[in-house]
Amino acid sequence: MRMWKMIPAALIVGLGCLLALGIGANATGATANDQIPEYVGSQACLGCHTDHFTHWSETGHANDLVQLIRAKDFPGDISSAPPELQAELQKAQWLAFGERFLARSPETGQLMYLNVQWDAAAGQYVAYNGGSDFDARCASCHSTAWDASQSAWSEPGVGCEACHGPGREHILGKGDLSKIRSDFNSNTCLQCHTGARHGTNWEVSAHARSTAPVIRNENHEPDPNGVPYRDSCFECHSSDGFVAKLRGEEFSATANHPNNQPVGCAACHDPHGNGNPDQLRQSAEQLCLTCHSAGIPEGGSIPVTGRVGHHLQAEFLWGRGAAGGIKPTEGPHSQVACIECHMVGGDHSTKIAVPTQVAAGAQDSCTKCHTDSTPESRKAYLDTWQRTTGTMIDAAKKDIAVIEQAVAANPNLLDEAQALVFNTAKANLTFIEEDRSMGAHNFEYAMKILNSVSSQLKQVREAIGR
Ligand code: HEC
Ligand code: HEC
Ligand code: HEC
Ligand code: HEC
Ligand code: HEC
Ligand code: HEC
Ligand code: HEC
Ligand code: HEC
Ligand code: HEC
């Protein structure tokens, strides 16, 4: 006989309320505690965490498996289905993923798929080749605290405790923080999100190792390049720092050590949902900009002396921010969102799917919008942009080396005006390099900047006769 770990919701809500009212563990008595399972179900969290519960209840996690009790629980009018499908629907006990129907087999006690499916796009019931076993193949990720030995879940779908671990002791301890798990470690999500697009591709992304370049901050070691390490680095380099910034909370990397997690699932996604598509913390368009923009205002520019900085992709794409009065220049892709090229088909590696280098039939980073060109022609554009930019950067670096050598020999060689021209050229060159796309983000702008850099360096070389 199958054992259910589920306990009556009323008991648990009652427990949550009692505790919320300040009636402690002792009041429930030792016998009562023994009867309370480790996993108490999301309902038990409602009383004290109403906002989390309310937001979570709107997510796919909460609605992954829906119990079918009344006619209105079904996605469509049952009487509209063909008679043989109506017979299947009469047996249905659960709606899975909004499309399939489950019923417990009277023989084995296992949950099995029925021979009917809901086609949401067409708005109708269609036949489905059911019969396969939900318990053995799907329940471990589509329910909470699945116990294979008992063929039982604590809760259908992804409840609070799927991520936070068992909640009983936390509740009996009136919200004892030491008895509940909560952190930004992406392993929480990776236990179920094992697929390539999200899980393994994130693991190989730069985001998954983003704390490495700033970790020395915790030891207050000086950066070899003289860059000061500070807590603010973690606003973009760690999940913890980023979310603290979004919430307007103070953040100390040192105090948070060793918890600082790289830019992971719960940095970009709100695990509890917030109404945004895909549970994103910000819209997909804004999210990338929050870290990949230097915040240079319209009409503003990078500094001519001092650090140019990094994370300048947005400015470069939009075509603004260069020093020395170079005219802002929108390119053909200035209005295109980062994810269109960097997350093709939801690929979380954020790598460009280079034309001609993707699997046969797969989309590359440009296919979505350029349906009428060949992969070879798109690759040729990309190569031309990057090669031309690279050649001009190399030439400029040679000029800079010549000038710097002369200045090293004679520190007062450049007058104030010449020094300004020289520093402007150097800052603008760094701007292009720090964008890191080698001109691909906005080729027109890259050329405008590099032409200016090259003529400025020529001007300085002529003035000093080198
Ligand atoms: C290793 C964990 C795991 C197992 C096992 C698993 N799934 Fe999933 N499934 C997921 C995750 C995570 C998602 C959501 C992310 C995604 O779409 O990749 C998902 C999404 C889905 C969706 C899409 C839901 C939607 O609304 O978009 C369907 C349908 C689905 N699974 C069916 C199944 C079926 C059928 C089985 C058993 C044969 C199964 N899954 C087994 C983890 C799993
Ligand atoms: C999909 C996984 C997941 C689910 C489901 C989930 N949480 Fe969380 N929760 C997290 C993660 C990860 C954090 C830490 C990141 C953060 O603070 O947003 C967190 C943080 C929290 C926090 C403390 C930080 C804050 O937001 O104030 C509370 C309280 C909380 N969760 C309660 C709940 C409750 C109650 C539920 C169910 C109604 C729930 N969670 C469901 C993953 C989850
Ligand atoms: C009796 C009230 C009560 C109930 C019921 C309750 N909690 Fe809490 N929870 C608290 C209190 C109080 C805190 C601490 C808030 C604080 O100090 O910031 C807390 C904090 C948390 C945190 C934050 C942990 C951290 O390290 O910041 C999480 C996560 C959490 N609860 C999850 C849950 C889950 C999941 C459930 C349901 C299984 C639940 N809680 C039920 C009272 C409750
Ligand atoms: C117990 C397994 C499990 C865990 C743990 C889990 N997920 Fe999921 N997740 C799923 C399943 C199953 C779905 C598909 C739900 C559906 O739509 O039917 C899903 C769907 C999603 C979606 C798509 C939501 C949408 O609107 O389409 C996002 C985003 C997501 N999960 C993020 C996370 C994050 C972030 C974490 C960790 C904090 C996490 N998940 C932890 C199983 C899990
Ligand atoms: C740098 C930000 C970022 C990180 C880190 C991130 N995601 Fe996402 N995720 C996104 C964006 C943006 C989308 C929407 C993509 C789109 O619209 O094409 C998305 C979509 C999703 C979806 C649902 C849509 C789909 O592609 O089917 C799931 C599920 C998901 N992410 C899971 C995860 C998991 C699991 C992790 C951690 C292993 C993770 N994400 C880490 C930004 C992120
Ligand atoms: C929380 C801040 C944050 C957010 C949000 C964010 N990124 Fe990043 N991103 C980083 C950091 C930090 C790095 C550098 C990591 C490293 O190299 O150590 C990075 C690196 C990258 C890289 C370089 C990859 C490589 O192989 O060198 C790309 C591309 C990228 N991000 C794209 C995106 C896209 C697209 C989005 C939006 C979906 C996004 N990022 C959102 C912080 C963020
Ligand atoms: C506003 C967000 C933001 C802040 C703040 C920030 N970074 Fe970054 N950082 C990024 C992004 C995005 C990338 C990846 C894209 C790039 O290189 O421009 C990155 C890349 C880097 C890299 C190159 C990583 C590699 O793998 O090559 C280093 C090093 C770095 N950051 C150090 C720092 C330090 C040190 C600080 C603090 C002084 C800091 N960052 C503050 C967003 C930020
Ligand atoms: C029109 C397509 C397109 C758009 C839109 C786009 N990128 Fe890129 N990005 C590229 C290409 C192409 C490269 C060069 C890739 C290479 O050299 O392999 C690149 C390179 C990068 C790099 C250097 C690391 C790497 O992956 O090579 C970062 C970081 C980056 N982009 C971030 C962003 C961010 C952030 C946005 C949005 C502000 C954005 N990109 C918008 C096409 C795009
Ligand atoms: C989300 C849509 C989108 C994506 C993705 C995209 N483009 Fe474009 N592209 C446009 C638009 C819009 C224009 C401007 C209108 C036009 O000229 O057709 C454009 C114009 C161009 C042009 C003509 C520019 C000129 O100087 O005349 C080239 C070449 C080009 N794109 C190449 C690429 C390459 C290579 C990729 C992939 C790395 C790519 N695009 C990805 C939307 C996109």
Side-chain angles (χ1 to χ4, degrees), residues 216-217 219-229:
R216 271 171 296 177
N217 187 46
N219 305 329
H220 297 287
E221 281 174 25
D223 170 54
N225 302 318
V227 182
Y229 286 104

Side-chain angles (χ1 to χ4, degrees), residues 60-61 64 141-142 158 188-189 191-193 265 269 271 278-279:
H61 283 153
D64 191 38
C141 302
H142 286 270
V158 183
T188 301
C189 319
Q191 51 175 326
C192 301
H193 289 269
C265 317
H269 296 280
D278 298 321
Q279 294 182 216

Side-chain angles (χ1 to χ4, degrees), residues 331-342 344 352-355 364-370 372-373 375 377-383 385 440 443-444:
H333 300 121
S334 290
Q335 305 299 328
V336 174
C338 315
I339 61 162
E340 299 285 7
C341 296
H342 282 278
V344 177
I352 291 296
V354 179
D364 65 46
S365 284
C366 330
T367 344
K368 187 172 171 189
C369 308
H370 297 289
D372 50 357
S373 63
S377 72
R378 296 192 289 271
K379 178 73 163 62
Y381 268 107
L382 207 52
D383 286 346
W385 293 338
F443 185 58
E444 280 84 339

Side-chain angles (χ1 to χ4, degrees), residues 210-345:
S210 61
T211 46
V214 294
I215 211 79
R216 271 171 296 177
N217 187 46
E218 291 172 357
N219 305 329
H220 297 287
E221 281 174 25
D223 170 54
N225 302 318
V227 182
Y229 286 104
R230 21 174 205 266
D231 284 341
S232 64
C233 307
F234 289 76
E235 286 176 2
C236 301
H237 281 267
S238 88
S239 293
D240 315 59
F242 179 63
V243 172
K245 177 180 146 189
L246 294 184
R247 289 177 177 156
E249 290 168 3
E250 294 259 328
F251 181 78
S252 156
T254 318
N256 198 46
H257 181 81
N259 297 323
N260 290 318
Q261 294 291 322
V263 178
C265 317
C268 295
H269 296 280
D270 186 334
H272 312 102
N274 52 15
N276 283 341
D278 298 321
Q279 294 182 216
L280 290 172
R281 296 229 184 231
Q282 300 180 308
S283 72
E285 290 73 26
Q286 176 55 46
L287 180 66
C288 318
L289 302 180
T290 304
C291 296
H292 285 269
S293 154
I296 298 173
E298 234 170 300
S301 75
I302 52 167
V304 171
T305 50
R307 264 188 91 231
V308 168
H310 64 299
H311 54 83
L312 296 148
Q313 285 76 27
E315 279 77 6
F316 206 88
L317 188 72
W318 298 332
R320 66 179 201 221
I326 293 174
K327 207 166 153 272
T329 308
E330 283 213 352
H333 300 121
S334 290
Q335 305 299 328
V336 174
C338 315
I339 61 162
E340 299 285 7
C341 296
H342 282 278
M343 286 185 86
V344 177

